[in-house]
Amino acid sequence: MAIADPANVTMDLPRRDARDKLLGRTRYTVDQSLPRMLHAAVLRSEVASARIVRIDTSRATKMPGVRAIALAEDAPGMHGIGIADHPLFAYDVIRFHGEQIAAVAADTYEQAQAAVRAIEVELEPLDPVLTMAEALAPDARLVHPDWKSYEILFEGGARGGNVAWEATVVRGDTEKAFAREDVIVVESCFRVGRQNHVSLEPRAAVASYEDGRYHIETSTQAPWTVRNQTAKLLGVPPSQVRVTVPPVGGGFGQKFDCTLEPYAAILARKSGRPVRLVYSRQEEMLTCLCRENAEIKIRSAVTRDGEIVGREAVVLMDCGAYGGEQIFLTTMTAHTLMGNYRLGSVKLASRAIYTNTAPNGAFRACNGVYNTFALKRHTDEICEAVGMDPLEFRRRNVLGDGDLGATGQVFEGEVLGPMLDRMASLRDKSPSLEHRAGNRLYGRATVVGTWFIFVGPSTATINLNADGTATLVTAGVEIGQGTMVQAMPQIVAHELGLHPDDVIVRTADTDAAGLDLGVGGGRTTVSVGAASRAAAEEVRNKILKAASELLQVAPEKLVLRNRRVEIAGVEGSGMTIASVVQHAQRATGPVVGSGSFTNPGVASMPGCAAGHFIDALEIPVFSVHDCEVAVDPDTGHVEVLSYKVVQDVGRALNPRAIYGQIQGGVTQGLGYALHEELTIGENGCIRQSSLETYRVPLALDTVPVQIDLYEGAPSIGPLGTKGAGEVPILNVAAAVACAVANATGRRVQQTPLTPPRVLGLLLGREPAIELPHIADDWWENVLMKRPSIPVRRS
Amino acid sequence: MARSIDDAVAALADRADATALAGGTWIMRAPIRREPPIRFCVGLTRIPELNAVDISASEIRIGACVTHARLVSALAGVRGCEGLVTAAGSAANPAVRQMATIGGNLCASAFPASDLAPSLLSLDAEVELSGPGGDERLPVGRFLERRGSLEPGILLTAVVIPRRALKSGHARLPLRKAGDYPVAIVSMTAELRGDGAVEDIRVTVGSVEASPRRWTQLEQALLGRRLDPNGAYDLAQAEAHIFTGRDGVDAPGWYRVQVLPALARRAAQAVLAGP
Amino acid sequence: MATNILINGEAHVSTREPMTPLLDVLREELFLTGAKSVCREGICGACIVHLDGQPVVSCLVPVGTLEGREVRTVESLAAEGEPSPLQQVMEEHDVVQCGMCFPGILMTLTSFFRERPDAGRDEVKAALVGNICRCTGYERIVDAAIALAKRS
């Protein structure tokens, strides 16, 4: 069979959903309304920690317009990732400010809110555990006293007390490495705050209860997760939940988990009417499943030539009141903080810590952004200590073909090295903008980063229609990234000799499409793409077989192109695909194909990683960023003068769409690096309750990013693709922080670099981060036992 | 919606819970500030006098419902008003400037980051009030002190700026490039002699404390000297200690005070850049 | 209390409470859902509409103040379904991502270009300071807008 030339699949395909989005006609979940629809509001805790003595809804029930009230007894299940520690409603204990206690459905939203205010809750306050230092103190109150009784959903992580999960890596002998006489030991501490996604469409759902099943229309990235978690929480079989997804107004990871859908579902069943639940911006600000705050202590033993012979690190990730995504994300520290560079020996503890604060979640490149920040700043501190140029250090130490990653995975191909060369030529092409700094302090940094494609299961079905078009059915969701309106039609069309416009993409519906892990981790193009390609292959084979009989030509001699089945090399020969389909419908039945995909699994070194959900990266993704900044010594304002990205994309199916992802991801990263900060007040409540105090980048706060797409790195993705949407944010905080450190000569240990923080650094009034609650002896930080045979010191 | 000032004053005096409503950008956000919902509003935007801008040889009279955007277009190029135009043209964001009014801005006593208030204070502006007891005119500084405790029925109707041979500049410091409320403001209005020496000067600091106030120590220091931005910076550094910055979610108090010398320099630069 | 408003050229009588934001009237009474409810405090700009030709944040406009006034929403930009030149250029440059911010951005830029048809890059960016976009990083939207400004 002739293999279609992958070059043909590359194009700047316009988005089919752009027109209606521009006309204001697209109906997102927040725009949906149904006849007789009710409006829901949620009662939330106004304290961070308390015992619930009594909840009385009798007054609220009698309020005007009230149709249903949902409470803990309506949702007996617990959910989570790794550990089922999260109930839908607080039922005996309040664990964070903003925790859900009850939900009300009424004729209007105002009535629902009024009823929520009328619910009486009697609480017995408890002292909240608000920081990770408090949570790890020897006498700390436990956020989950019953942690031992929770159902374990994934085996292998160490747990105990306020440590929700601990993943460790022990490879080689770091004690020996640090004891060497020819090494310099460099230790660094870092702290980062939380980042809110600020998806413009808040979390929203409209639920109905029909024929004994729940139908939830929701703004989610992961319809199958919503289906399964809702069922688990409600204690019903998953098959009783159907999830459909209209266009999603931004996700960035926030909508990768099930959150508000079960409330709407319960209220729909109890009231017998459709129920709309949309979180207000304040609810989104205070309870959003942020990128977590974290604390990092890392130390390295480095020779004078810059060889890293040993590295030890402890990373504390604040998961908030419930484990959630952070349990999984403990995995990623090994591949980010301990990634990028060749390491002689490794000890890593990555710990998710419970506190009485709002639970955190997944956010584009997750903990990768701050681990990359910490690693690059640490690297620059090493360079200073050994007296080596940071760029030279990176060149010497980045992982190349055959090198070992932290968990002993063998990396394939020279990628980061050549990417650094490409960045060098990009820098040569455009002159430095140092002159624009004027009287301000000028700094520059080039940083490397490693992330991954989170693969996992996807399925696809393709129905070929009698008019020659194809209908692609998957549970993939269009959240704005363009994959479902660009890459998917391109992949299917390429396989079937169609134009992408001939491929109809069904919006996600768990009743129509099979299991899918959701849109996140840059996986859609790869996983949904691979499943779609497999489905297209099946369809293609059926078409070729049917056409072969009709044309009396061996299938190997036929090709699909220009909407026709042609004899290879004879343009315009053969017949249209439409006529083959029409024939097949009469002769053998409609033409349909299906395909599936899941992670292939990549080997790590046995026994060195514990508690990891993924021991090795199936598809690593690399990026190199370069940034120039000017720092105002009077006000601490950091202006980004230029920004450059070289990104490993495998193959760029739609370069223009990737440029859009990179410009957007870098800008979001600039927000994280410079402006966006959530802090917890003494009452445990997030202090930035609106977009007035939580500052996302505005149009004047970004710059046009100069981009070079690096193609050709190894990838198992269809047509050599990798996901391109997640990784653009990865290196930004690192690049900006290293550039600011370069400009100011100060030790940058914290992000965001807001003007007050930078001015504080310049004036020497910013206290150094020291993290005394992370012990210097690595073994004292972990639940796993120190080996009984003492490590021999040389 | 009131049709005249008398109507509005009567309606406001009539109900103790009545609130005057101009552009709406402050009052409509009451739920976000978790304030009780406002039950009764008297709409002012249809009252013709409140929407007028009159520029005479001796003074500029601005109706209370004149919006920030209108202020920019009406005062562009008017000598002495450069700082006010900067203040009105950079507050909040473009759509809010189409709605938010000068009167509403001065009356929002819980809003410390107003751009207009320090600018008007440095221009020696006065406000006109109407009430059941008649009309009253008082300096904007006095009004800012009194605004939290005005009797019901008192309505701010106009802002009056005396016209003199002045130059003005307004230096604000948002944390992003724009679109924020400023964390600190220095507004400066000066009369310069032919040799560049300061004949008369008023410097106001906004957003640093709960209410804007004059920086008389810096004024005294600048008086009689040639206005020089770097000199202003140095003098401001010596005098900044008199302010106690308010700690906020956006910025700590020390920061607001620390940046004042840089803002004094920028304000002086703006004054000198004027026509 | 009834308020008579001209919305996209059609007379509408709203009977909502006078302090109801115009945004809610548009979305809930007329199902004109182009304007989005995102921050409800005048910062994000997703709800911008034209009031007597000027862009305003409809989340902060009390409907009771609108008697006899004219409102235009993003739905009115495309005359008879034909996208406006601004809408066309955004489509051609492939700058849309999730799309939630575009109704507001289009309303801001439509009135901005009416007054400043030859605006430069920095002016366009300054004009967009009241419109939050979380997906695109703005620059490609500005590129498209500048391309239109150059064309005209």
Side-chain angles (χ1 to χ4, degrees), chain A residues 701-725:
Chain A
D701 300 307
T702 187
V703 291
V705 178
Q706 293 166 273
I707 299 164
D708 184 8
L709 303 182
Y710 183 88
E711 295 190 273
S715 173
I716 54 160
L719 307 165
T721 52
K722 295 185 175 186

Side-chain angles (χ1 to χ4, degrees), chain C residues 84-87 89 93 113 117 142-152:
Chain C
S84 73
L86 187 64
Q87 287 169 318
V89 81
H93 280 68
F113 279 125
V142 178
D143 291 342
I146 294 293
L148 178 71
K150 281 191 180 145
R151 210 180 289 170
S152 52

Side-chain angles (χ1 to χ4, degrees), chain A residues 145-341:
Chain A
D146 298 332
W147 64 272
K148 281 183 186 159
S149 68
Y150 293 154
E151 180 191 0
I152 293 175
L153 306 170
F154 183 90
E155 295 288 342
R159 302 161 61 223
N162 285 331
V163 180
W165 192 271
E166 178 180 286
T168 47
V169 178
V170 177
R171 172 166 73 70
D173 189 344
T174 55
E175 278 88 351
K176 204 167 150 187
F178 279 93
R180 270 168 62 162
E181 282 183 359
D182 61 337
V183 298
I184 296 173
V185 174
V186 178
E187 180 178 292
S188 316
C189 292
F190 302 98
R191 177 181 288 146
V192 295
R194 298 185 183 199
Q195 185 181 23
N196 189 303
H197 312 70
V198 193
S199 306
L200 290 204
E201 184 186 34
R203 284 170 290 174
V206 179
S208 321
Y209 189 68
E210 301 158 348
D211 300 327
R213 298 178 74 221
Y214 298 92
H215 174 198
I216 307 172
E217 185 131 63
T218 180
S219 182
T220 186
Q221 297 170 232
W224 274 84
T225 304
V226 172
R227 171 190 184 268
N228 294 338
Q229 302 275 30
T230 300
K232 191 166 168 49
L233 283 160
L234 271 54
V236 301
S239 55
Q240 283 185 17
V241 183
R242 174 190 175 200
V243 176
T244 56
V245 190
V248 174
F252 315 115
Q254 179 196 23
K255 299 169 182 169
F256 200 63
D257 208 346
C258 172
T259 54
L260 82 174
E261 293 87 355
Y263 304 109
I266 295 169
L267 292 168
R269 178 179 54 75
K270 291 185 108 172
S271 66
R273 289 169 60 168
V275 172
R276 174 183 197 261
L277 176 58
V278 177
Y279 281 168
S280 71
R281 185 54 51 185
Q282 279 62 47
E283 286 177 295
E284 288 290 83
M285 292 313 298
L286 301 179
T287 69
C288 124
L289 304 181
C290 293
R291 189 193 306 283
E292 68 279 7
N293 52 304
E295 291 163 342
I296 298 159
K297 192 178 258 187
I298 178 170
R299 60 185 201 125
S300 300
V302 186
T303 66
R304 290 263 166 220
D305 322 330
E307 186 193 346
I308 310 161
V309 296
R311 176 162 285 171
E312 294 182 346
V314 176
V315 177
L316 304 180
M317 305 160 60
D318 188 348
C319 56
Y322 300 102
E325 197 75 41
Q326 276 59 48
I327 303 292
F328 170 84
L329 290 172
T330 54
T331 288
M332 289 314 298
T333 314
H335 310 293
T336 51
L337 186 69
M338 303 310 242
N340 296 292
Y341 300 120

